Amino acid sequence: MIAETVCSAVAAAGLGIAAVTAYRKRFLAATRLAAYSLLPLGLVMTGVVDWLADTAFSPTAWAGFGVLGLSWVLFSTTRAVERRRGGTRKERRAARGARREAVAPAASAPSLDPAARTPATRPAGRSRAPESAKSAGDDFSDIEAILKKHGI
Protein backbone atom coordinates (compact mmCIF):
# COMPACT_ATOMS: atom_id res chain seq x y z
CA MET A 1 0.00 0.00 0.00
CA ILE A 2 2.74 2.45 0.92
CA ALA A 3 4.84 1.43 -2.11
CA GLU A 4 1.93 2.13 -4.47
CA THR A 5 1.38 5.55 -2.92
CA VAL A 6 5.06 6.47 -3.17
CA CYS A 7 5.26 5.32 -6.81
CA SER A 8 2.13 7.30 -7.71
CA ALA A 9 3.53 10.43 -6.01
CA VAL A 10 6.85 10.05 -7.85
CA ALA A 11 4.97 9.69 -11.15
CA ALA A 12 2.84 12.79 -10.47
CA ALA A 13 5.89 14.86 -9.47
CA GLY A 14 7.81 13.70 -12.53
CA LEU A 15 4.94 14.58 -14.85
CA GLY A 16 4.75 18.04 -13.23
CA ILE A 17 8.46 18.59 -13.83
CA ALA A 18 8.03 17.37 -17.42
CA ALA A 19 5.21 19.90 -17.93
CA VAL A 20 7.41 22.75 -16.67
CA THR A 21 10.24 21.56 -18.93
CA ALA A 22 7.90 21.48 -21.93
CA TYR A 23 6.69 25.01 -21.06
CA ARG A 24 10.35 26.11 -21.38
CA LYS A 25 10.32 24.67 -24.92
CA ARG A 26 12.66 21.78 -24.17
CA PHE A 27 10.34 19.16 -25.63
CA LEU A 28 12.87 16.35 -26.01
CA ALA A 29 13.90 16.56 -22.36
CA ALA A 30 10.25 16.89 -21.29
CA THR A 31 9.31 13.75 -23.21
CA ARG A 32 12.19 11.83 -21.64
CA LEU A 33 11.16 13.02 -18.15
CA ALA A 34 7.56 11.96 -18.78
CA ALA A 35 8.74 8.50 -19.87
CA TYR A 36 10.83 8.07 -16.71
CA SER A 37 7.95 9.37 -14.57
CA LEU A 38 5.48 6.85 -15.95
CA LEU A 39 7.72 3.85 -15.17
CA PRO A 40 6.89 3.60 -11.43
CA LEU A 41 3.18 3.99 -12.19
CA GLY A 42 3.35 1.21 -14.78
CA LEU A 43 5.18 -1.07 -12.34
CA VAL A 44 2.47 -0.52 -9.74
CA MET A 45 -0.30 -1.19 -12.24
CA THR A 46 1.26 -4.46 -13.47
CA GLY A 47 1.78 -5.82 -9.96
CA VAL A 48 5.58 -5.89 -10.04
CA VAL A 49 5.78 -3.66 -6.98
CA ASP A 50 3.54 -6.04 -4.98
CA TRP A 51 5.68 -8.98 -6.03
CA LEU A 52 8.88 -7.16 -5.05
CA ALA A 53 7.41 -6.14 -1.69
CA ASP A 54 6.32 -9.72 -0.99
CA THR A 55 9.74 -11.00 -1.99
CA ALA A 56 11.66 -8.42 0.03
CA PHE A 57 9.97 -9.38 3.28
CA SER A 58 9.85 -13.13 2.74
CA PRO A 59 12.57 -15.25 4.42
CA THR A 60 11.77 -18.13 2.08
CA ALA A 61 12.44 -15.94 -0.96
CA TRP A 62 15.78 -14.79 0.46
CA ALA A 63 16.72 -18.40 1.22
CA GLY A 64 15.87 -19.20 -2.40
CA PHE A 65 18.16 -16.41 -3.60
CA GLY A 66 20.89 -17.82 -1.35
CA VAL A 67 20.46 -21.29 -2.85
CA LEU A 68 20.63 -19.81 -6.36
CA GLY A 69 23.81 -17.96 -5.42
CA LEU A 70 25.37 -21.10 -3.98
CA SER A 71 24.49 -22.98 -7.15
CA TRP A 72 26.13 -20.28 -9.27
CA VAL A 73 29.30 -20.38 -7.13
CA LEU A 74 29.49 -24.17 -7.47
CA PHE A 75 29.07 -24.04 -11.25
CA SER A 76 31.70 -21.31 -11.57
CA THR A 77 34.17 -23.19 -9.38
CA THR A 78 33.82 -26.45 -11.29
CA ARG A 79 34.19 -24.63 -14.61
CA ALA A 80 37.35 -22.89 -13.42
CA VAL A 81 38.83 -26.18 -12.23
CA GLU A 82 37.98 -27.82 -15.57
CA ARG A 83 39.77 -25.04 -17.44
CA ARG A 84 42.89 -25.40 -15.28
CA ARG A 85 43.01 -29.16 -15.72
CA GLY A 86 42.43 -29.03 -19.45
CA GLY A 87 38.85 -30.12 -19.97
CA THR A 88 36.47 -32.77 -18.81
CA ARG A 89 37.39 -36.29 -17.75
CA LYS A 90 36.45 -37.67 -21.19
CA GLU A 91 38.68 -35.11 -22.94
CA ARG A 92 41.63 -35.96 -20.67
CA ARG A 93 41.18 -39.69 -21.33
CA ALA A 94 41.02 -39.10 -25.08
CA ALA A 95 44.17 -36.96 -24.95
CA ARG A 96 45.96 -39.59 -22.87
CA GLY A 97 45.00 -42.31 -25.37
CA ALA A 98 46.12 -40.18 -28.31
CA ARG A 99 49.46 -39.55 -26.61
CA ARG A 100 50.05 -43.28 -26.21
CA GLU A 101 49.24 -43.94 -29.87
CA ALA A 102 51.67 -41.26 -31.03
CA VAL A 103 54.66 -43.20 -29.71
CA ALA A 104 55.91 -46.18 -31.70
CA PRO A 105 56.36 -49.33 -29.54
CA ALA A 106 60.15 -49.46 -29.93
CA ALA A 107 60.76 -45.72 -30.05
CA SER A 108 62.28 -43.70 -27.26
CA ALA A 109 60.71 -40.41 -28.43
CA PRO A 110 57.32 -39.64 -29.95
CA SER A 111 57.22 -40.30 -33.65
CA LEU A 112 55.37 -37.06 -34.29
CA ASP A 113 58.17 -34.88 -32.89
CA PRO A 114 60.19 -33.56 -35.91
CA ALA A 115 62.93 -32.16 -33.63
CA ALA A 116 63.77 -35.64 -32.35
CA ARG A 117 64.79 -36.84 -35.81
CA THR A 118 68.51 -36.86 -36.42
CA PRO A 119 70.14 -35.95 -39.76
CA ALA A 120 70.80 -39.65 -40.42
CA THR A 121 67.08 -40.47 -40.30
CA ARG A 122 66.03 -37.74 -42.73
CA PRO A 123 64.99 -38.86 -46.20
CA ALA A 124 67.89 -39.00 -48.67
CA GLY A 125 66.01 -37.21 -51.42
CA ARG A 126 66.17 -33.80 -49.75
CA SER A 127 69.01 -31.45 -50.48
CA ARG A 128 70.85 -29.33 -47.96
CA ALA A 129 69.35 -25.95 -47.14
CA PRO A 130 71.16 -22.81 -48.32
CA GLU A 131 73.19 -20.78 -45.83
CA SER A 132 70.49 -18.12 -45.40
CA ALA A 133 67.99 -20.78 -44.32
CA LYS A 134 70.55 -22.22 -41.88
CA SER A 135 70.92 -18.90 -40.10
CA ALA A 136 67.14 -18.60 -39.86
CA GLY A 137 67.03 -22.12 -38.40
CA ASP A 138 69.68 -21.16 -35.86
CA ASP A 139 67.54 -18.21 -34.80
CA PHE A 140 64.63 -20.53 -34.12
CA SER A 141 66.77 -23.08 -32.28
CA ASP A 142 66.99 -20.69 -29.31
CA ILE A 143 63.21 -20.36 -29.28
CA GLU A 144 62.77 -24.13 -29.55
CA ALA A 145 65.13 -24.64 -26.59
CA ILE A 146 63.13 -22.21 -24.47
CA LEU A 147 59.86 -23.90 -25.41
CA LYS A 148 61.27 -27.35 -24.64
CA LYS A 149 62.53 -26.09 -21.29
CA HIS A 150 58.99 -25.04 -20.35
CA GLY A 151 57.47 -28.24 -21.69
CA ILE A 152 55.69 -26.69 -24.65
Side-chain angles (χ1 to χ4, degrees), residues 12 16 20 27 41-42 47 52 61 69 86 99 103-104 112 115 117 135 143 146 148:
V20 170
F27 297 110
L41 189 61
L52 284 174
R99 225 181 288 140
V103 178
L112 297 178
R117 295 187 348 183
S135 63
I143 296 171
I146 292 169
K148 283 181 185 179

Side-chain angles (χ1 to χ4, degrees), residues 55-83:
T55 302
F57 299 113
S58 169
T60 306
W62 284 106
F65 283 124
V67 169
L68 289 174
L70 176 64
S71 174
W72 178 80
V73 167
L74 291 175
F75 276 124
S76 300
T77 303
T78 56
R79 187 67 183 147
V81 169
E82 270 185 6
R83 286 184 180 169

Side-chain angles (χ1 to χ4, degrees), residues 7-135:
C7 287
S8 299
V10 167
L15 289 174
I17 294 171
V20 170
T21 306
Y23 180 75
R24 292 181 181 171
K25 302 205 187 251
R26 297 182 56 207
F27 297 110
L28 188 63
T31 306
R32 192 175 303 123
L33 278 168
Y36 282 127
S37 299
L38 291 175
L39 280 177
L41 189 61
L43 291 174
V44 166
M45 294 174 82
T46 57
V48 173
V49 174
D50 286 333
W51 178 79
L52 284 174
D54 291 341
T55 302
F57 299 113
S58 169
T60 306
W62 284 106
F65 283 124
V67 169
L68 289 174
L70 176 64
S71 174
W72 178 80
V73 167
L74 291 175
F75 276 124
S76 300
T77 303
T78 56
R79 187 67 183 147
V81 169
E82 270 185 6
R83 286 184 180 169
R84 285 191 80 138
R85 287 189 179 171
T88 62
R89 181 178 293 175
K90 288 181 182 178
E91 292 171 352
R92 287 192 306 271
R93 279 188 190 153
R96 215 178 299 135
R99 225 181 288 140
R100 287 184 189 137
E101 293 170 5
V103 178
S108 61
S111 57
L112 297 178
D113 188 13
R117 295 187 348 183
T118 60
T121 61
R122 288 190 186 143
R126 291 190 182 178
S127 63
R128 299 291 260 161
E131 287 300 317
S132 63
K134 279 186 182 179
S135 63

